[in-house]
Amino acid sequence: MVMSGRVSAYFLSDAHLGARCLADARETERRLVRFLDSIKGDATHIFLLGDILDYWFEYKDVVPKGHVRLFGKLAELADSGVHIEWLAGNHDIWLFGYFREELGIETYDGSRIVTLVGKKFFLNHGDTVGWRKPSFRFIQSFFRNKICQKLFSGIHPRWTVPFALWWSRKNRESDSEPTFDADKNSLVKFSKEYLAEHPDMDYFIFGHLHVMAKTTVEAAGADAEVVILGEWLKLCSYAHFDGKLLNLRCFEG
Ligand SMILES: [Mn+2]
């Protein structure tokens, strides 16, 4: 995808809306909507880099409850001509067409390469590249398996929704505080290796880690910036590309 003309692109991830751990889930959603309102009129592109929802599973004719303020705002922005993309995270993998049909936003699973005013962006939630625990890889292939998805969709959501939210909460409780070490981080390592093969890449943007970080990688005589987006549980962070520079910021509204 190559875009020209005025560009003001926003990147955010990991709001985990609906998460059982959120003290005031509605406020997290409202803050996100206030943010989207604040960039309305300026934004030409919005890239949602996964785990915006803590759990999402679409059925053929039915979708889960909730998130209507966010969905309404995204539909409004998409209708007004903002280009919006949603990359699946490990919590909102199961995007099967509803967002495209109902909200007018494109969804992707895995990595995405986008060119904005001549700059090349590599986008990924951060869970399908770099080193991952073998057990995490196994669960990922299970979650993405078409037959498993079909079987899962046959179980009444009365059972699957509470289970998924419990699973997510349990995993979060066992997670340690997020830290970032550019020398050891597997996404930075991945970016460096990728840059060596594709020296025309300018930016690598990821979510998933729940930390805000920006670092430079060099390989094959080229350099690129690696950006980790943070989250919307406490930090309310996002990256903004104004056509020339990319900055990481926190929304204060
Ligand atoms: Mn994630």
Side-chain angles (χ1 to χ4, degrees):
M1 183 187 71
V2 179
M3 299 273 173
S4 53
R6 185 185 80 89
V7 163
S8 178
Y10 292 83
F11 305 82
L12 56 140
S13 70
D14 297 273
H16 289 272
L17 292 183
R20 292 267 165 95
C21 69
L22 289 175
D24 190 348
R26 186 56 51 77
E27 176 50 24
T28 307
E29 184 183 11
R30 285 192 197 281
R31 203 181 302 130
L32 199 48
V33 169
R34 285 200 296 278
F35 169 70
L36 293 171
D37 263 329
S38 77
I39 62 172
K40 197 178 159 182
D42 173 58
T44 56
H45 301 72
I46 299 171
F47 296 93
L48 303 165
L49 259 62
D51 287 2
I52 300 297
L53 310 177
D54 203 50
Y55 174 64
W56 180 261
F57 192 97
E58 293 168 26
Y59 299 85
K60 191 165 170 277
D61 298 302
V62 180
V63 296
K65 267 180 164 182
H67 322 301
V68 293
R69 287 164 188 78
L70 173 69
F71 291 168
K73 190 51 68 182
L74 289 173
E76 181 191 322
L77 289 165
D79 286 348
S80 73
V82 181
H83 179 95
I84 308 177
E85 299 190 7
W86 187 314
L87 270 70
N90 52 313
H91 285 256
D92 48 13
I93 307 169
W94 303 283
L95 310 166
F96 300 137
Y98 176 73
F99 290 4
R100 187 181 60 247
E101 290 151 19
E102 193 69 26
L103 310 180
I105 70 185
E106 288 302 326
T107 59
Y108 299 93
D109 188 12
S111 303
R112 178 109 175 96
I113 292 164
V114 176
T115 306
L116 300 168
V117 285
K119 298 279 186 193
K120 250 179 148 173
F121 293 77
F122 180 98
L123 311 176
N124 186 291
H125 173 62
D127 64 320
T128 59
V129 293
W131 184 86
R132 287 152 285 159
K133 272 189 207 161
S135 58
F136 186 74
R137 275 179 184 260
F138 173 76
I139 287 172
Q140 280 185 312
S141 57
F142 177 74
F143 284 168
R144 284 181 164 84
N145 182 285
K146 290 273 178 274
I147 296 163
C148 293
Q149 287 173 351
K150 195 88 189 147
L151 291 170
F152 187 83
S153 71
I155 309 171
H156 198 284
R158 175 197 304 153
W159 306 110
T160 53
V161 174
F163 173 75
L165 292 170
W166 167 80
W167 170 274
S168 163
R169 185 178 189 155
K170 183 178 139 308
N171 283 342
R172 190 162 298 113
E173 281 166 358
S174 63
D175 277 353
S176 46
E177 266 303 296
T179 54
F180 178 81
D181 180 346
D183 295 329
K184 291 187 191 144
N185 187 274
S186 80
L187 294 176
V188 175
K189 190 165 175 277
F190 164 82
S191 304
K192 197 171 173 169
E193 287 165 5
Y194 194 92
L195 182 67
E197 301 287 320
H198 308 84
D200 59 341
M201 207 54 67
D202 295 289
Y203 295 100
F204 291 84
I205 306 185
F206 306 101
H208 191 53
L209 299 183
H210 291 210
V211 291
M212 281 173 83
K214 202 169 158 200
T215 187
T216 305
V217 286
E218 290 172 25
D223 58 76
E225 281 191 85
V226 180
V227 174
I228 317 284
L229 289 171
E231 41 81 0
W232 278 73
L233 301 151
K234 288 182 205 139
L235 298 170
C236 303
S237 52
Y238 63 96
H240 178 228
F241 176 66
D242 63 5
K244 289 194 180 95
L245 295 170
L246 186 129
N247 285 299
L248 257 182
R249 298 208 182 102
C250 289
F251 178 62
E252 312 276 352

